[in-house]
Amino acid sequence: MVLILTALFVPDSNANAENCWWPIQVKSYYGIYETKTKKSGKASSTLQGPKLEEWLPPTAAARPYTIGISVPHIKDSYWVAVNYGIIQEAKRLGVGIKMREAGGYNNLDKQIKQVEELIRSNVDGIILGSISYTGTDAIITKTVKSNIPIVEVINDINAPDITAKALVSFYDMGYYAGEFLAEHAEDSGKNDLRILFLPGPQASGWASDTLDGFNDAMQYFPGRVDIVAVKWGDTGRNKQSELIRNAMKDNPDIDYIVGNAVAAEVAPEILKESGKDKKTAVVSTYIIPALYDKIKTGKVIAAPSDLTVFQGRMAVDMLVRILNGKKAGTDFPFRSGPFIPTITPENIKSYPYEGLFGPRDYKPVFKLEPKK
């Protein structure tokens, strides 16, 4: 983690530092991407890896490209951090941005229409944060075959014709959350665990991946593990609050609430209202800015970080390399993402807020003109 920590300690407000955020340690996969044996959350078996290496970005774009961006939403701080990484790297390389957001994980049709709109607006390439694991396969094929490359960011997808992927495994994210919880429970002397799990949107792919990873990690807990309920839903605060409240009515005695970052964000207040904040601990399967202070104060005891700012930057780097004439899987990784640290109250000082998410007052940018 030394290289990641070096990058995280760099203050992004410093103009010179903004131009040297690398190197970071990544897990990369090379070769030919095929989907016959592809499983959600895991790299295709036809790829070679993971190779542990340093990520070094391109020094410049060959010309002033314009990149289209389509993401599920910007209604929580997770995707705002992705936006920050994309915009900062686009500025560094001098490329333009046209960004669209679909408004939520239930709006697949809207995202597809937005991709079609970006194609008509003559973008050179697209960075996609897909709403669905398979639902965007057709539009990706259509787009790539019309010579517009697409790089997937954050969310794993099937998509046989995707050009490259900048992401981590959400199976691994769930696994690390489970690994931490199992150790925490064992250290606390617990033998029987009752867990409420809130993965996120069921059709997203990444949500079910976190549950699979968590379940596999919990197999190593020496005691009894009972996941009393699995509650799926969009990552809006109101929806996640509703799911937690309803689940707790049916299951009043819960040792841990585990789930997506929005669920972890709202859970401590709900637990306090019900007088269960001393008995029930909260673990997230990923981190967002709103969780940072909650981890610092111990209201949330752990969250793996997929270092979203870096994933956004890497997606821009990949697309610029492709537009510059390089080939994914040969000249640079077809799939790559940062190492995953687990953030806890004990180690959070090693992960400054600005390094994980960008400035606290950052507002998302939807349009950026290329440098002529």
Side-chain angles (χ1 to χ4, degrees):
M1 300 307 298
V2 174
L3 294 176
I4 282 180
L5 287 176
T6 299
L8 286 174
F9 273 118
V10 170
D12 280 324
S13 59
N14 183 292
N16 183 55
E18 197 56 68
N19 287 326
C20 56
W21 55 266
W22 60 88
I24 61 168
Q25 291 180 338
V26 294
K27 290 184 178 181
S28 297
Y29 296 82
Y30 290 81
I32 304 299
Y33 176 69
E34 295 181 2
T35 59
K36 290 180 181 178
T37 59
K38 174 79 173 72
K39 294 182 179 179
S40 177
K42 298 184 179 180
S44 169
S45 61
T46 61
L47 294 172
Q48 288 86 55
K51 179 181 179 181
L52 310 182
E53 59 183 0
E54 294 180 6
W55 184 264
L56 298 172
T59 56
R63 60 183 180 84
Y65 307 120
T66 295
I67 296 174
I69 315 287
S70 175
V71 298
H73 59 79
I74 300 286
K75 64 186 178 183
D76 70 43
S77 48
Y78 182 93
W79 285 100
V80 173
V82 178
N83 175 272
Y84 175 76
I86 288 172
I87 294 299
Q88 294 309 114
E89 191 66 353
K91 286 180 178 179
R92 188 185 72 82
L93 291 170
V95 301
I97 295 294
K98 294 179 180 179
M99 186 165 190
R100 306 289 184 270
E101 58 97 10
Y105 276 92
N106 296 323
N107 299 334
L108 176 60
D109 290 344
K110 183 176 179 181
Q111 184 172 57
I112 292 171
K113 289 178 181 177
Q114 288 179 339
V115 172
E116 292 172 338
E117 177 203 338
L118 288 169
I119 295 169
R120 290 193 297 271
S121 72
N122 296 317
V123 296
D124 296 292
I126 292 175
I127 294 173
L128 177 67
S130 181
I131 283 174
S132 168
Y133 181 68
T134 58
T136 53
D137 284 8
I139 187 62
I140 289 170
T141 295
K142 176 183 175 182
T143 305
V144 173
K145 287 186 175 179
S146 65
N147 296 317
I148 299 175
I150 299 184
V151 172
E152 177 67 13
V153 68
I154 302 293
N155 296 339
D156 191 21
I157 51 173
N158 185 59
D161 294 307
I162 193 72
T163 315
K165 297 182 179 183
L167 49 82
V168 305
S169 167
F170 267 80
Y171 171 91
D172 289 348
M173 298 284 280
Y175 190 94
Y176 293 145
E179 188 175 58
F180 173 88
L181 189 151
E183 183 176 350
H184 182 272
E186 195 169 357
D187 289 347
S188 302
K190 297 180 184 294
N191 295 314
D192 298 308
L193 303 181
R194 291 174 56 82
I195 299 169
L196 167 63
F197 202 101
L198 300 104
Q202 192 161 17
S204 65
W206 63 263
S208 56
D209 294 343
T210 62
L211 179 57
D212 291 343
F214 181 83
N215 282 332
D216 284 352
M218 293 309 296
Q219 292 178 18
Y220 298 100
F221 180 69
R224 181 174 176 270
V225 177
D226 181 13
I227 298 183
V228 297
V230 175
K231 298 296 182 180
W232 305 89
D234 186 65
T235 52
R237 287 174 55 89
N238 291 340
K239 182 61 178 178
Q240 292 300 314
S241 296
E242 175 191 343
L243 291 173
I244 293 172
R245 292 181 195 281
N246 289 341
M248 288 181 63
K249 287 178 184 177
D250 298 330
N251 304 279
D253 296 319
I254 298 171
D255 297 299
Y256 294 92
I257 293 177
V258 184
N260 67 82
V262 181
E265 177 192 350
V266 300
E269 284 69 32
I270 296 172
L271 289 170
K272 188 173 182 179
E273 289 171 9
S274 60
K276 308 235 179 234
D277 52 317
K278 302 299 183 187
K279 180 185 185 303
T280 305
V282 180
V283 174
S284 182
T285 54
Y286 60 94
I287 192 170
I288 59 176
L291 284 188
Y292 190 84
D293 293 330
K294 285 184 167 62
I295 294 174
K296 191 177 268 189
T297 59
K299 292 179 180 178
V300 175
I301 61 172
S305 174
D306 51 342
L307 301 175
T308 49
V309 169
F310 292 111
Q311 289 189 66
R313 283 172 162 155
M314 290 172 68
V316 175
D317 292 346
M318 284 182 167
L319 193 49
V320 166
R321 281 192 166 112
I322 293 161
L323 294 171
N324 281 351
K326 302 297 184 182
K327 183 175 176 56
T330 304
D331 300 318
F332 66 94
F334 171 83
R335 167 178 167 158
S336 189
F339 275 33
I340 300 169
T342 299
I343 314 297
T344 68
E346 290 72 31
N347 69 15
I348 195 167
K349 289 183 179 179
S350 297
Y351 298 91
Y353 180 97
E354 292 76 10
L356 291 173
F357 309 113
R360 284 183 181 264
D361 60 353
Y362 176 76
K363 303 296 182 186
V365 175
F366 290 85
K367 188 173 182 180
L368 184 68
E369 294 295 331
K371 291 181 182 177
K372 301 297 185 182

